[in-house]
Amino acid sequence: MKIIRTIKEMKEQLNNIKDHSIGFVPTMGYLHEGHLSLVNQARAENEIVVMSIFVNPLQFGPNEDFERYPRDEEHDTNAAKEAGVDLLFIPTVDIMYPEEMGIELKVSKGTNVLCGRSRPGHFDGVATVLTKFFHIVEPDKTYFGLKDAQQFSVVNTLISHLDFPIQLVGLPTVREEDGLAKSSRNVYLSEKEREEATVLYKSLKLGQQLIENGTKNSESIIKKVKEYISNGTDAKIDYVELLSYPTLNEIDSIDEQVIIAIAVHYKKARLIDNIILSPEGQQIDTITK
Ligand code: AMP
């Protein structure tokens, strides 16, 4: 595995392997099994696997955790190497943004809900950095976790509306044994919060069960999921929403593929989770575009 720190070096490396298929896994590092599951899939489907590790300041709001986002380059380098990454791109902020950006993307579809509403500008920052990465790496395929389902939907829009010749692969959320979605931010949780956080996935499974049992009314499902969360944890609910997926429209009745998505605030961590379901309540955990 080669560690690459500049765009020029990355371009030189890629020039040497022009005729190879490239799978690209963008991350913010502090790698866990969720990230590595994306590498596994990329490894199986491409000749070269490129991973980026970059905590992108553009996608953090002024009161968010950019400065204290967990970072551990030594751990990440070992984990990436073991998982089979060929080129590990770790640029600094100065490399990615040598001067203040004179142009930014604005994502207008699917951002008036969920994290788009709670984190204004977040997906604009995501789209901007991914556009840069897609131009630098020029991958054939790119791999994302459906844990960040709204991000997946936004990346789908970015790729299709800006004509990137890249296939988008969305993969299942990797969870701890007790169901909590793996996340770099889980390290912020106190012991008590960590125990309580199992309520998130359980509440999503409750939503699934309601749909499986024939409940069609989205309001009543949202209400029950919220109640379940409030009864199981002191965390403050940011949102519980039930929307069409991947279109992310508000719906009254479950007649198409949907997402139940939640975000809660613990003292130092904001956690998100979701479940994507067919109208009959069957879980969808992989999407290829
Ligand atoms: P992040 O480093 O949090 O920006 O995540 C980088 C990529 O890993 C994104 O595509 C995430 O959706 C994905 N990812 C994060 N957590 C998980 C997880 N628990 N399971 C699967 N994919 C994940």
Side-chain angles (χ1 to χ4, degrees):
M1 183 182 80
K2 283 207 165 62
I3 297 177
I4 295 170
R5 298 190 188 271
T6 67
I7 296 170
K8 185 164 170 272
E9 215 186 323
M10 191 73 199
K11 282 288 183 198
E12 279 164 10
Q13 286 293 332
L14 293 168
N15 238 335
N16 297 335
I17 43 166
K18 259 194 180 135
D19 49 343
H20 292 60
S21 59
I22 296 176
F24 176 47
V25 180
T27 80
M28 298 202 297
Y30 214 71
L31 301 179
H32 52 66
E33 284 163 45
H35 301 111
L36 302 178
S37 71
L38 307 182
V39 174
N40 282 344
Q41 193 66 25
R43 186 69 281 161
E45 296 179 356
N46 302 274
E47 288 161 310
I48 299 289
V49 176
V50 179
M51 173 186 268
S52 61
I53 294 181
F54 181 60
V55 184
N56 172 34
L58 288 191
Q59 70 191 66
F60 286 78
N63 298 316
E64 294 183 356
D65 56 348
F66 172 70
E67 294 295 344
R68 63 184 181 94
Y69 193 83
R71 294 160 168 92
D72 186 344
E73 191 177 306
E74 195 183 333
H75 161 82
D76 286 353
T77 324
N78 291 331
K81 188 173 172 191
E82 217 168 286
V85 170
D86 297 300
L87 302 176
L88 180 61
F89 185 35
I90 319 182
T92 59
V93 172
D94 284 345
I95 290 286
M96 288 301 282
Y97 306 118
E99 53 188 298
E100 195 181 325
M101 282 294 275
I103 186 161
E104 272 180 50
L105 290 180
K106 179 158 172 44
V107 184
S108 47
K109 187 178 164 198
T111 47
N112 58 341
V113 292
L114 308 176
C115 296
R117 186 154 50 199
S118 309
R119 304 181 68 188
H122 168 68
F123 289 113
D124 301 342
V126 169
T128 302
V129 80
L130 285 177
T131 297
K132 286 180 69 92
F133 278 136
F134 289 163
H135 284 311
I136 295 164
V137 177
E138 297 184 60
D140 297 280
K141 292 187 174 190
T142 187
Y143 297 81
F144 285 79
L146 288 175
K147 158 153 190 292
D148 300 283
Q150 187 174 22
Q151 173 169 272
F152 182 83
S153 178
V154 165
V155 178
N156 182 34
T157 304
L158 175 71
I159 286 177
S160 67
H161 290 194
L162 291 184
D163 302 298
F164 284 101
I166 303 174
Q167 194 182 344
L168 173 63
V169 181
L171 294 172
T173 301
V174 177
R175 299 179 178 281
E176 303 288 354
E177 259 175 37
D178 61 11
L180 178 66
K182 291 201 182 237
S183 164
S184 307
R185 290 186 167 102
N186 290 348
V187 294
Y188 296 146
L189 299 175
S190 71
E191 213 173 305
K192 177 170 174 281
E193 289 175 335
R194 171 64 189 81
E195 273 170 32
E196 286 182 10
T198 57
V199 79
L200 303 183
Y201 186 52
K202 287 186 193 149
S203 77
L204 294 171
K205 295 302 277 183
L206 168 68
Q208 176 180 23
Q209 208 176 38
L210 292 167
I211 294 176
E212 272 175 345
N213 292 345
T215 309
K216 286 273 172 205
N217 180 272
S218 52
E219 266 311 310
S220 76
I221 297 168
I222 292 171
K223 189 163 170 275
K224 290 199 171 102
V225 171
K226 275 187 178 162
E227 274 168 12
Y228 191 92
I229 297 173
S230 304
N231 288 335
T233 179
D234 292 334
K236 186 169 159 281
I237 295 176
D238 178 352
Y239 61 70
V240 173
E241 292 186 48
L242 199 164
L243 305 166
S244 62
Y245 192 81
T247 41
L248 297 177
N249 294 319
E250 283 173 12
I251 46 171
D252 296 328
S253 174
I254 320 283
D255 301 314
E256 58 190 301
Q257 186 168 290
V258 296
I259 183 168
I260 308 175
I262 59 190
V264 303
H265 284 283
Y266 282 100
K267 201 150 173 259
K268 290 192 190 144
R270 178 177 175 280
L271 300 187
I272 58 170
D273 203 349
N274 74 77
I275 193 165
I276 300 168
L277 300 166
S278 75
E280 295 76 35
Q282 202 187 347
Q283 191 168 345
I284 316 281
D285 61 9
T286 304
I287 302 177
T288 301
K289 290 283 182 184

